[in-house]
Amino acid sequence: MPERPDRRPSPSAAKRTGWRRPAAPAAAGPPPGQPTDPQPAPAAAAPPEHRSVIDSAVYRDGRRIASPATLAETFRQLREEPDGMAWIGLHRPTEPELHSLAAEFNLHELAVEDALEAHQRPKLERYGDTLFVVLRAARYLDAQEEVDFAELHIFVGPDFLITVRHGGAPDLSAVRRRMEGNPELLSLGPEAALYAILDAVVDGYAPVVEGVQTDIDEIETEVFRGDPAVSRRIYELSREMVEFQRATRPLVGMLHGLMAGFAKYGTDEELQRYLRDVADHVTHTSERVDAFRQALTEILTVNATLVSQQQNAEMRALAEAGFEQNEEIKKISSWAAILFAPTLVGTIYGMNFETMPELHWAAGYPFAILLMAVVCTSLYVIFKKRDWL
């Protein structure tokens, strides 16, 4: 990070180095002898609004010396402490609040616009003596078994650090408490606070990695158990891993870029060790996420194969059942045809017409019985040859 340059060309820097805006002249009272206007009634208290300033503090030599309640008080306290550092934590700030910070600390308008709109990819940009960092924090929600992502924007200047959170993670109050418990490290300036935040974000990835690993183990069990809902779970977890990869992969290049500037900006040795440790953790996490995506792809392929095999087995079973049913139908149909032949002959000779040729024939009854036997035997032989019986 750059050393603290002389910021006199910046109006905000001039204010913090001793410049004072002239006080406005006191309003003149009414001439002697004239009555004064009655004082207006106090206005009704405004309803409470969303508080975007989570914590604001001014530090000197790594120790908190002031905890202003408003941004204006923070600006005033920092002007009175030329060697101080301001650490301002915001959560979903309003546009006027960010514009007031931009005017005070000379923040670039593009960085301010990104912090307002959010939905940015992780990146690191340098605007003069100010560093703008975008991080994607993550946390694992056990109840929903899903990964929740949040966006964090950080402005780092020679004597200030501003964090803008869009989401629930990470818990920057714990980072602040840890740094305040180590004044020697915090006295190194805003760069130390930045590295502590980077470390907190990266450490927050570890529970997510463990949670995802557990989910993958459960998914593998469900795949081989034949759970029909596992495909949807694989797809949803794969989408989360895509988001996780987008959050972790750019960090590797960002941290190596910071490490490349150690010599140029005279970064403290302790901070160099700090950043190298964070870079190692990020690299490890990024590799795990890549492995997760590959594993989920393979699991999805295996699941598709198993589903296809199961469908083939079901279709084969249905075909076999249909074949067996068809065989039974053929047997029933064959016997029905055989039994229908004597019924037909008996029906014809049972009509009892007096003029029927065979009605008074002495051999008529044996002939009818023989005809029935011949027809039935012929049908039986035909169906047997066709394997219907």
Side-chain angles (χ1 to χ4, degrees):
M1 296 297 297
E3 297 180 355
R4 302 186 180 187
D6 183 9
R7 300 181 60 187
R8 292 183 60 186
S10 169
S12 57
K15 295 178 184 178
R16 291 194 293 277
T17 53
W19 181 85
R20 294 290 186 273
R21 185 181 299 277
Q34 291 189 6
T36 59
D37 294 334
Q39 294 296 328
E49 297 180 354
H50 167 70
R51 177 175 173 80
S52 59
V53 181
I54 304 302
D55 196 359
S56 179
V58 177
Y59 298 88
R60 183 178 60 229
D61 297 329
R63 302 183 184 278
R64 184 188 288 239
I65 60 174
S67 301
T70 64
L71 293 178
E73 293 180 11
T74 304
F75 302 156
R76 181 180 57 80
Q77 291 281 351
L78 188 59
R79 296 185 201 123
E80 295 175 356
E81 293 291 338
D83 296 329
M85 179 193 81
W87 185 346
I88 303 172
L90 305 174
H91 180 255
R92 299 186 186 278
T94 62
E95 187 173 350
E97 287 174 332
L98 271 184
H99 284 167
S100 68
L101 289 168
E104 179 68 22
F105 296 111
N106 197 26
L107 305 180
H108 197 278
E109 59 180 4
L110 293 179
V112 173
E113 181 180 352
D114 288 345
L116 279 172
E117 295 181 357
H119 303 292
Q120 304 295 319
R121 62 176 181 83
K123 63 180 180 179
L124 184 149
E125 300 284 350
R126 190 179 298 277
Y127 299 98
D129 57 0
T130 301
L131 201 63
F132 178 61
V133 181
V134 179
L135 302 175
R136 296 271 290 173
R139 59 178 177 174
Y140 185 79
L141 304 179
D142 290 322
Q144 295 84 359
E145 292 186 344
E146 62 182 23
V147 183
D148 177 52
F149 296 94
E151 199 163 322
L152 177 63
H153 302 254
I154 308 172
F155 297 90
V156 185
D159 55 355
F160 66 88
L161 183 138
I162 303 169
T163 60
V164 180
R165 280 194 300 124
H166 295 273
D171 183 10
L172 296 183
S173 60
V175 178
R176 189 188 292 262
R177 288 193 300 269
R178 186 173 53 138
M179 293 299 291
E180 289 178 349
N182 189 355
E184 292 79 9
L185 182 60
L186 186 56
S187 64
L188 297 177
E191 300 90 345
L194 170 63
Y195 296 157
I197 294 173
L198 286 170
D199 185 58
V201 171
V202 174
D203 286 346
Y205 294 152
V208 178
V209 170
E210 296 302 322
V212 172
Q213 182 64 67
T214 301
D215 286 347
I216 291 178
D217 294 340
E218 294 175 354
I219 285 174
E220 289 177 344
T221 302
E222 293 173 359
V223 164
F224 290 100
R225 195 170 54 196
D227 191 338
V230 70
S231 298
R232 181 180 182 87
R233 188 176 182 186
I234 295 173
Y235 175 77
E236 291 176 349
L237 188 58
S238 298
R239 295 299 305 167
E240 291 177 355
M241 288 305 95
V242 171
E243 290 296 322
F244 201 7
Q245 196 174 51
R246 291 174 179 171
T248 57
R249 180 173 291 179
L251 275 180
V252 178
M254 289 168 54
L255 293 175
H256 282 87
L258 286 175
M259 289 189 293
F262 283 163
K264 179 178 180 180
Y265 298 108
T267 305
D268 184 83
E269 289 290 336
E270 181 67 17
L271 294 184
Q272 293 184 27
R273 288 191 289 269
Y274 207 149
L275 186 60
R276 279 192 291 267
D277 180 69
V278 175
D280 290 340
H281 290 173
V282 169
T283 302
H284 176 70
T285 301
S286 181
E287 292 174 352
R288 291 288 301 275
V289 174
D290 292 342
F292 287 158
R293 286 201 62 187
Q294 181 64 29
L296 288 170
T297 301
E298 294 174 355
I299 291 173
L300 190 60
T301 302
V302 171
N303 181 65
T305 302
L306 293 176
V307 170
S308 179
Q309 291 177 351
Q310 182 179 2
Q311 291 176 346
N312 290 338
E314 292 175 353
M315 292 179 65
R316 188 182 304 111
L318 289 173
E320 291 175 356
F323 177 78
E324 293 176 359
Q325 185 179 11
N326 188 42
E327 292 297 315
E328 294 296 329
I329 291 175
K330 287 193 297 184
K331 290 180 180 180
I332 295 173
S333 300
S334 300
W335 284 113
I338 293 173
L339 295 176
F340 177 72
T343 304
L344 177 62
V345 175
T347 302
I348 294 174
Y349 282 95
M351 291 188 294
N352 296 326
F353 290 110
E354 292 183 357
T355 57
M356 288 181 65
E358 297 86 3
L359 186 61
H360 301 286
W361 185 28
Y365 176 74
F367 175 77
I369 297 298
L370 180 62
L371 179 60
M372 293 179 188
V374 170
V375 172
C376 290
T377 302
S378 301
L379 290 175
Y380 180 81
V381 172
I382 293 172
F383 291 145
K384 194 68 175 177
K385 286 183 178 180
R386 295 184 178 182
D387 293 330
W388 282 34
L389 290 175

